Structures are given as C-alpha cells and as structure tokens.
Amino acid sequence: MEPKLNYQNNYQFKEARFQLVDRLRQRGIKDERILSAMNKIPRELFVDPAFVSQAYEDIALPIDCNQTISQPYTVAFMTQALNLKEGSKVLEIGTGSGYQATLLYLMGMRVYTIERIYELYLKANRIFQQLGVNVLTRWGDGSLGWKEYAPYDGIIVTAAAPKVPEPLLEQLAINGRLVIPVGDRSYQAMYIITKVGDNQFQEEQEHFFKFVPLIGEYGWQNGG
Ligand code: SAM
C-alpha cells in the first residue's frame, strides 16, 4: 500500500508548496519521487510556529533547542544522492523536526531515525503519530549508528561531522551509500560515500553546505 499522510491539505499553502517543488526541479533535482513526496508534506507543521509564513521559502528555519529544519534544496539533494530503491532500509542521524524522515517514509523506504536531544525526539514522535508516519525512532548518539538493524542501504547524516564516523561505514550494506556533511563548524563539503566491498569505499564530494554540528562520540565534543 502506498504510504500516505493523515492530513487535510490546507489550500493556503498548496500553491506555495507547488512553487517550491518547481524551484527544486529547476535547481537540478531530477528524481520525481522526491519532488512528488515533497509536494505532499505540510512543511508548515514542522517549522517553529513563528516562521510558518516562511515555511515554503527555500531556506533552513529554526526549530526548538537551537536546531534547524534543513533547507528544502539540501533535503532533496541529499535524498537524491542516497540513490535509493523503493523499500530500501535507511538510517537517518539527526531526526530534528522529522521532515526528512517523513520524506523518506513517503517515498516507500523503511526508515530508522536517531535524535540526540530528548525534547526534539519527543516532538518528532508526536508529529509522526499525528501524520501516521511509520518510522522507527530512537533517542541517543547517532554517530554510533544503530547496530541492531544494520546493514543499511543508505545512511543520511543531517548534522555536520568533523570526520566520517567509522561505525556508519561499518553499518552500510554493500552498494549502500552514506551521505554526510564533513568539515569544520562553519562549512562542510557533502561527502557521498559508496561501499563497494567489505572494506572498500568510493567517495565523491559535492559543494559546500552549512549544518548544525553532529555532537557525539564520533562527532564534535559538546561545546568544544
Ligand atoms: N533532518 C532534520 C529535519 O528534517 O528537520 C534536520 C536536522 S537538524 C539540521 C540536525 C539534528 O541533528 C538536530 O536535531 C541535532 O540535535 C541532531 N544531532 C546532532 N548530533 C547528533 C547525534 N550525535 N545523534 C543524533 N542526532 C544528532
């Protein structure tokens, strides 16, 4: 059965959402599965209520606890880079608002998502329940991955790492991809790493992005 959201489309945002998706297409997002799923997600429910009027601008916006919901272009770019088939098993590190996990769910993926901030973890769980998004969530340090369910066909890290966390490479399936921003605290290159053999990887780097830090054992130390 095709995944759906329990949500009455709000006509106030329909046109803005359509225009955003069209802009993403013009910026080079070609995967129609991503565009069509993004056209169904009420981003206004995932952003801080004070920013609802900007929900369909192609920008990152604040959520609670000093974190952000990523820019729609970045979400679409990273999802496209994962190169997933329907039904793939995907691990997301950094649940945040829950928007990215909702997108992967709507695209027909089996989604596992980890958030380190308890308040955000709870809030994301509430919106998943409200919208009927069937994903497995966990509160903890995602830089360690989620070993119980490994290997994953795709791992997406939505926070910036100082280096590629070793456990995530280990938890990738053969032919699986890890998409992760790596760099300093100001800017990061997007690494797209494909596991081609047991200990063999191919790596591409794409242009620069700016993410909040990945904090954890294989990320930045808190405050450091
Ligand atoms: N994917 C999110 C969305 O769709 O809204 C955006 C995520 S926000 C840019 C980055 C998130 O990563 C924050 O919520 C932050 O708390 C979380 N984070 C940072 N370090 C983490 C870690 N080690 N494990 C899990 N989550 C982490």
Side-chain angles (χ1 to χ4, degrees):
M1 213 172 59
E2 200 187 316
K4 279 208 168 88
L5 301 183
N6 298 331
Y7 164 71
Q8 286 293 353
N9 208 340
N10 180 336
Y11 285 93
Q12 187 191 349
F13 295 109
K14 203 174 168 202
E15 183 60 28
R17 191 179 305 131
F18 183 80
Q19 280 175 10
L20 172 65
V21 167
D22 205 40
R23 192 158 333 114
L24 299 179
R25 192 180 281 113
Q26 284 164 26
R27 284 196 67 183
I29 304 301
K30 296 198 171 65
D31 188 335
E32 285 297 329
R33 296 172 308 163
I34 297 174
L35 297 168
S36 143
M38 285 179 91
N39 203 23
K40 293 182 189 138
I41 306 179
R43 192 168 184 256
E44 71 275 13
L45 300 185
F46 292 83
V47 306
D48 184 305
F51 292 90
V52 161
S53 65
Q54 287 167 278
Y56 292 98
E57 290 180 25
D58 191 15
I59 51 175
L61 288 170
I63 54 174
D64 290 347
C65 310
N66 257 338
Q67 302 301 316
T68 53
I69 174 172
S70 303
Q71 179 182 355
Y73 173 75
T74 305
V75 172
F77 177 89
M78 292 178 82
T79 309
Q80 188 162 268
L82 283 171
N83 198 27
L84 295 165
K85 292 192 192 72
E86 200 180 324
S88 295
K89 202 202 277 185
V90 193
L91 174 65
E92 180 196 23
I93 316 299
T95 314
S97 70
Y99 182 91
Q100 172 76 66
T102 300
L103 172 63
L104 291 165
Y105 166 75
L106 268 186
M107 290 172 67
M109 309 305 161
R110 288 175 290 152
V111 185
Y112 299 78
T113 180
I114 308 179
E115 172 55 53
R116 82 171 260 281
I117 300 177
Y118 191 58
E119 199 176 325
L120 294 178
Y121 159 81
L122 289 180
K123 198 167 178 186
N125 274 312
R126 279 199 295 274
I127 197 155
F128 292 148
Q129 201 167 21
Q130 178 192 342
L131 294 176
V133 174
N134 187 9
V135 297
L136 230 64
T137 62
R138 179 177 179 173
W139 172 48
D141 177 5
S143 75
L144 299 164
W146 194 344
K147 215 170 169 185
E148 292 91 312
Y149 296 101
Y152 301 96
D153 304 306
I155 301 180
I156 177 169
V157 182
T158 64
K163 56 184 183 338
V164 178
E166 200 60 40
L168 302 186
L169 294 173
E170 282 163 18
Q171 291 174 31
L172 265 187
I174 304 291
N175 294 322
R177 281 195 182 175
L178 167 63
V179 178
I180 176 168
V182 178
D184 59 27
R185 287 216 183 209
S186 311
Y187 287 101
Q188 306 88 34
M190 192 62 74
Y191 284 34
I192 302 166
I193 301 171
T194 308
K195 188 165 187 168
V196 289
D198 265 339
N199 229 336
Q200 286 178 295
F201 300 92
Q202 273 171 5
E203 182 185 301
E204 287 169 51
Q205 286 180 26
E206 292 282 347
H207 37 258
F208 284 84
F209 292 87
K210 184 168 173 49
F211 280 84
V212 294
L214 178 77
I215 294 175
E217 193 168 329
Y218 288 83
W220 298 95
Q221 304 308 304
N222 209 349

